[in-house]
């Protein structure tokens, strides 16, 4: 078999997902061993496209056809290695069906995975997603994960600790995302036919009901029976299991905000003064049970699930998801987060502000731009919102942030990325507190910016902050790419006179502000972007900002399909006139401008 036989073009991959929503991939390939994987990786189809590795597709929602390369493992085989009377290692190929693995273990008297019976998907994904149900998570039994490293082209092993497992979470969803392909997973199990994890609600009374200590078979069958009463069978009704995660919020927030709104709201206590709230309960009690939108439905037997009743589109599922999130936010003050991986390569950008540090109009100025009645000549301080892959990211928190957020109708921000510490880019940080009620806002910035903010906004970083102030989960970044919930972000360093500024590239989109110079190595990181937003203060040169000509020179070097100029001052001239004078692929940005990058 040659590598050409492995790679297929324009493939319908609907049957590789469980939602039953039609989806195609530009390229699709499956491999049964590392040799085939390496051959695929050498092809131009693989190298020149965005790559997505899927498992059983039971946790995916494609928002649109995938304009890239989809890979799937067919590495099969289950092998057993008996260490001693109390430990058996079971090694499963990434492509082994999860239910086959659980059945194998139950049949062979190997205890550990029986509570995880009936979960759709494959063994490889169990390590990425840390699947969990009925009191057990995959991490409780994963011993080692064997992966292919796309960077070093070597096979590497991750220990359980190195996988940094969390609730439906692992290192493979964060910094290791996209770098490793899981080849095999090794589980550490106990040779025993009697089940031991019986602490979860419906399993607690099983021994009493049966009149004997439940066997692995008993637990497997009971779990499958419970699942069948609550969860749709993906062969009949499309879904991706739980659509939302159960929110984990500070105990104080639960007590002061959630309970104040509904004293009946259940919770489970967690370490570190946090509590977990069942999202299914919130959705049901917000009156959303059975709520429908174009064929997508809040599954009445388990409100955590969005079901495809037959002809739902991805847009309908996403629309229902947004409706649920907005309703729960309004009623309980909690923002739910999808547990499903939303694959949405479309990037929606909204210019929140396109003005320089003083904004336009400048207070007290009587120039024709400042007096213009054209709304495009009214420029608040520079910042943008980027929505993609189910995430909403804010780049810079300008002093006009409160107004900008209200104007755009933004209900949620998943993370904030800062370009630098100048007041016109961070002055609105306190206004982020609305989005910090149930979480610490993740903020990505350089070390120097973080230091500066710790000094200026010390009240946000105290051990016991005044209730209600914004709180942050600080991520210091340098020149290396980083990941936000699996989304790759490439920082690009530019210079604002002698101050380093971070621009950000997300897929085919890049945002750069306050640049005066950029070196070749950093400019190379912009190659291939379709849409570039870049600062241009005015026509006349400035010591720390690009002029229009300087910005155009960079645009001509990068050659994006389209570019927008931002961080504009009143000296630029009237939008109506200047915009028409620019080359065809270059436009002036303006406040509230919305862009779609495919
Ligand atoms: N509840 C409601 N209404 C509903 C759904 C749930 O009031 O529509 C209440 C239940 O009565 C219960 C509580 O919410 O008091 C929790 O419900 P349940 O025990 O069914 O668990 P869950 O939180 O809804 C989680 C996992 C499931 C897993 C079950 C069982 C997540 C996101 N989901 O659901 O995992 O099977 O526990 O352990 O953690 C999946 O990941 O796809 C999945 C199905």
């Amino acid at each position: 078999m040659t590598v050409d036989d492995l790679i297929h073009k324009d493939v319908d991959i609907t049957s590789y997902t469980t939602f039953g929503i039609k989806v195609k991939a530009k390229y699709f390939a499956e491999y049964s061993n590392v040799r085939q994987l390496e051959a695929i990786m050498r092809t131009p189809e693989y190298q020149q496209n965005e790559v997505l590795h899927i498992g059983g597709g039971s946790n995916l929602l494609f928002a649109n056809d995938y304009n890239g390369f989809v890979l799937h493992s067919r590495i099969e085989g289950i092998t057993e290695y008996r260490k001693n009377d109390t430990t058996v290692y079971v090694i499963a190929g990434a492509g082994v069906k999860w239910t086959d693995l659980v059945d194998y273990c139950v049949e062979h008297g190997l205890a550990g995975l029986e509570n995880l019976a009936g979960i759709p998907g494959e063994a490889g994904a169990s390590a990425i997603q840390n699947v969990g149900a009925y009191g057990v998570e995959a991490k409780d039994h994963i011993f080692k994960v064997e992966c292919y490293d796309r960077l070093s082209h070597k096979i590497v092993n991750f220990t359980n600790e190195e996988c940094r497992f969390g609730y439906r979470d692992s290192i493979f969803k964060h910094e290791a995302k996209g770098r490793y392909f899981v080849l095999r997973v090794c589980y550490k199990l106990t040779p025993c036919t009697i089940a031991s994890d019986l602490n979860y609600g419906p399993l607690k009374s099983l021994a009493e009901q049966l009149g004997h200590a439940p066997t692995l078979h008993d637990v497997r069958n009971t779990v499958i029976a419970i699942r069948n009463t609550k969860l749709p069978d993906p062969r009949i009704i499309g879904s991706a299991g739980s659509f939302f995660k159960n929110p984990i919020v500070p105990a104080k927030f639960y007590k002061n905000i959630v309970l104040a709104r509904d004293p009946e709201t259940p919770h489970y206590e967690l370490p570190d003064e946090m509590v977990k709230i069942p999202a299914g309960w919130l959705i049901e009690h917000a009156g959303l049970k059975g709520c429908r939108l174009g064929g997508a439905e809040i599954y009445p037997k388990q409100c955590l699930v969005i079901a495809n009743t037959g002809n739902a589109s991805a847009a309908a599922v996403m629309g229902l998801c947004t409706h649920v999130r907005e309703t729960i936010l309004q009623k309980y003050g909690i923002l739910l987060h999808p547990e499903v991986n939303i694959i949405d390569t479309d990037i929606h950008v909204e210019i929140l502000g396109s003005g320089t540090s003083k904004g336009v109009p400048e207070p007290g100025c009587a120039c024709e731009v400042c007096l213009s009645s054209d709304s495009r000549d009214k420029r608040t301080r520079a910042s943008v919102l980027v929505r993609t892959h189910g995430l909403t990211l804010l780049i810079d928190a300008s002093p006009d942030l409160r107004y900008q957020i209200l104007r755009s109708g933004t209900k949620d921000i998943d993370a904030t990325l800062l370009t630098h510490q100048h007041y016109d880019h961070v002055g609105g940080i306190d206004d982020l507190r609305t989005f910090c009620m149930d979480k610490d806002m993740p903020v990505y910035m350089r070390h120097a910016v973080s230091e500066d903010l710790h000094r200026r906004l010390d009240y946000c970083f105290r051990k016991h902050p005044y209730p209600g102030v914004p709180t942050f989960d600080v991520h210091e970044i340098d020149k290396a790419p980083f990941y936000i919930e699996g989304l790759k972000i490439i920082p690009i360093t530019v210079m604002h006179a002698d101050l380093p500024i971070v621009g950000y590239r997300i897929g085919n989109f890049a945002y750069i502000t306050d640049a005066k110079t950029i070196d070749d190595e950093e400019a190379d990181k912009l190659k291939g972007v379709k849409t570039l937003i870049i600062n241009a203060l005015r026509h006349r040169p400035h010591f720390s900002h690009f002029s229009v000509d300087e910005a155009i020179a960079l645009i001509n070097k990068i050659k994006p399909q389209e570019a927008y100029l931002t961080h504009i001052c009143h000296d630029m001239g009237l939008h109506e006139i200047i915009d028409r004078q620019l080359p065809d692929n270059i436009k002036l940005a303006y406040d509230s401008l919305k862009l779609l990058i495919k």
Side-chain angles (χ1 to χ4, degrees):
M1 193 189 273
T2 71
V3 69
D4 292 341
D5 299 325
L6 297 173
I7 299 176
H8 307 280
K9 191 152 192 241
D10 289 326
V11 182
D12 185 323
I13 54 165
T14 313
S15 65
Y16 285 84
T17 69
T18 54
F19 241 121
I21 296 173
K22 275 228 161 310
V23 55
K24 279 203 309 194
K26 189 164 142 203
Y27 294 103
F28 178 70
E30 292 183 289
Y31 57 94
S32 313
N33 51 52
V34 172
R35 205 170 22 82
Q36 287 182 348
L37 173 62
E38 286 181 324
I40 292 168
M41 290 173 70
R42 283 192 292 269
T43 63
E45 290 89 340
Y46 174 94
Q47 285 175 8
Q48 290 163 14
N49 284 283
E50 190 170 329
V51 175
L52 175 73
H53 199 302
I54 60 169
S58 55
N59 207 39
L60 291 182
L61 174 65
F62 284 93
N64 27 49
D65 285 341
Y66 191 72
N67 187 23
F69 198 115
V70 173
L71 260 182
H72 179 240
S73 168
R74 280 252 175 236
I75 299 180
E76 299 289 344
I78 302 176
T79 47
E80 219 182 287
Y81 161 60
R82 189 165 291 256
K83 189 178 176 210
N84 53 38
D85 285 352
T86 55
T87 303
V88 170
Y89 295 108
V90 169
I91 301 164
V96 169
K97 263 178 73 185
W98 180 259
T99 47
D100 289 349
L101 175 65
V102 173
D103 289 353
Y104 174 98
C105 296
V106 169
E107 292 303 327
H108 288 75
L110 302 172
L113 304 182
E114 59 283 357
N115 296 34
L116 304 177
I119 296 181
E122 293 167 0
S126 72
I128 296 172
Q129 173 72 357
N130 182 23
V131 294
Y134 305 101
V136 173
E137 289 180 308
K139 78 165 168 55
D140 303 335
H141 298 283
I142 289 177
F143 179 65
K144 245 180 6 190
V145 182
E146 185 186 292
C147 298
Y148 187 86
D149 181 350
R150 287 169 75 184
L151 270 190
S152 67
H153 297 278
K154 289 202 173 107
I155 292 172
V156 291
N157 282 294
F158 283 75
T159 62
N160 180 299
E161 202 173 55
E162 285 166 346
C163 291
R164 286 204 246 129
F165 290 118
Y167 169 51
R168 298 291 194 275
D169 204 18
S170 73
I171 191 165
F172 304 109
K173 288 183 154 190
H174 299 277
E175 58 263 49
K177 168 112 183 180
R179 175 162 172 185
Y180 302 95
F181 297 142
V182 176
L183 300 172
R184 285 177 194 79
V185 184
C186 174
Y187 305 87
K188 188 177 175 186
L189 304 173
T190 313
C192 172
T193 52
I194 302 297
S196 56
D197 281 303
L198 300 168
N199 289 324
Y200 187 84
L203 299 179
K204 272 188 189 150
S205 54
L206 193 58
E208 203 182 312
Q209 279 170 38
L210 296 171
H212 61 81
T215 63
L216 304 183
H217 276 100
D218 293 330
V219 169
R220 172 193 173 278
N221 297 342
T222 306
V223 164
I224 289 178
I226 305 172
R227 289 184 72 94
N228 287 343
T229 62
K230 291 184 171 186
L231 298 167
D233 178 343
R235 288 167 305 182
I236 303 162
I237 300 175
S239 88
S242 300
F243 196 93
F244 299 100
K245 285 188 201 169
N246 288 323
I248 294 173
V249 299
K252 260 195 195 148
F253 173 81
Y254 169 72
K255 207 171 128 230
N256 298 337
I257 309 280
V258 184
L259 281 189
R261 296 188 186 194
D262 187 341
E264 304 283 304
T265 315
H267 74 291
Y268 311 102
E269 277 175 22
L270 298 179
D272 302 326
E273 294 177 54
M274 301 296 277
V275 302
K276 184 149 132 181
I277 303 177
W281 189 96
L282 296 175
I283 298 170
E284 181 170 342
H285 288 78
L288 292 167
K289 185 177 184 158
C291 176
R292 278 175 177 243
L293 185 83
E297 181 191 44
I298 300 298
Y299 193 60
K301 292 185 200 164
Q302 163 57 290
C303 294
L304 209 44
V305 173
I306 295 187
N308 172 7
T309 60
N311 57 355
S313 61
V317 175
M318 303 273 284
L320 189 55
C321 163
T322 304
H323 178 59
V324 169
R325 294 183 85 195
E326 288 182 356
T327 309
I328 300 301
L329 183 63
Q330 210 164 30
K331 186 156 171 31
Y332 297 99
I334 296 175
L335 185 63
L336 294 183
H337 287 278
E339 194 249 342
V340 166
N341 290 316
I342 297 171
I343 311 296
D344 183 4
T345 41
D346 285 1
I347 303 176
H348 300 264
V349 175
E350 180 173 352
I351 309 276
L352 294 178
S354 59
T356 188
S357 54
K358 291 189 205 159
V360 182
E362 273 191 23
C365 179
C367 77
E368 62 170 353
V369 175
C370 289
L371 294 181
S372 162
S373 57
D374 185 341
S375 62
R376 294 168 304 174
D377 287 320
K378 306 208 180 302
R379 303 182 184 280
T380 56
R381 269 69 67 88
S383 61
V384 289
L385 266 188
V386 183
R387 294 180 201 273
T388 187
H389 288 281
L391 293 171
T392 301
L393 307 177
L394 171 72
I395 306 185
D396 281 344
S398 96
D400 299 312
L401 188 70
R402 179 180 175 280
Y403 168 67
Q404 294 172 337
I405 293 291
L406 287 171
R407 183 173 60 185
S408 81
T410 306
K411 302 274 188 332
D412 57 304
I413 293 175
D414 292 290
T416 300
L417 289 76
L418 297 178
T419 60
H420 64 298
Q421 61 270 48
H422 281 176
Y423 179 77
D424 54 325
H425 296 263
V426 299
I429 280 200
D430 193 87
D431 290 335
L432 287 172
R433 63 205 234 209
T434 325
F435 306 107
C436 298
M437 302 265 282
D438 57 346
K439 65 166 185 290
D440 292 342
M441 165 69 72
V443 180
Y444 294 79
M445 54 190 158
R446 293 178 61 247
H447 173 71
V449 183
S450 168
E451 258 193 340
D452 206 299
L453 292 185
H454 275 76
R455 212 170 34 243
R456 281 200 260 171
L457 303 171
D458 72 302
Y459 64 94
C460 302
F461 297 97
R462 287 183 193 148
K463 194 155 179 224
H464 298 290
Y466 178 78
V469 306
T471 51
F472 304 113
D473 175 15
V474 172
H475 298 259
E476 291 189 359
I477 55 167
D478 49 28
K479 292 196 166 186
F482 60 95
Y483 292 85
I484 302 179
E485 307 222 0
L487 177 68
K488 184 176 184 181
I489 317 272
I490 302 173
I492 292 150
T493 305
V494 296
M495 295 305 290
H496 184 42
D498 52 8
L499 180 71
I501 308 276
V502 184
Y504 294 100
R505 176 173 182 167
I506 303 170
N508 286 329
F509 164 71
Y511 179 80
I512 289 180
T513 187
D514 290 56
K516 176 66 181 176
T517 53
I518 174 168
D519 70 27
D520 288 346
E521 201 182 317
E522 295 301 302
D524 274 351
K525 295 181 185 169
L526 292 168
K527 289 263 160 71
V529 292
K530 285 188 184 165
T531 301
L532 173 66
I533 299 181
I534 180 92
N535 61 292
L537 188 70
R538 60 188 187 200
H539 295 280
R540 237 178 338 118
H542 183 275
F543 82 100
S544 64
H545 286 276
F546 277 154
S547 64
V548 173
D549 286 346
E550 287 165 337
I552 291 178
L554 179 66
I555 294 164
N556 289 341
K557 186 170 160 187
I558 305 298
K559 298 189 178 53
Q561 281 174 9
E562 51 175 11
Y564 291 84
L565 306 184
T566 193
H567 211 288
I568 292 167
C569 83
H570 62 171
D571 292 338
M572 177 67 90
L574 291 168
H575 185 102
E576 176 68 23
I577 293 170
I578 305 301
D579 195 49
R580 271 194 271 124
Q581 294 169 353
L582 292 170
D584 281 350
N585 63 331
I586 304 178
K587 299 181 182 69
L588 290 187
Y590 55 88
D591 283 28
S592 296
L593 172 66
K594 293 190 177 76
L595 309 171
L596 169 62
I597 299 117
K598 287 236 163 231

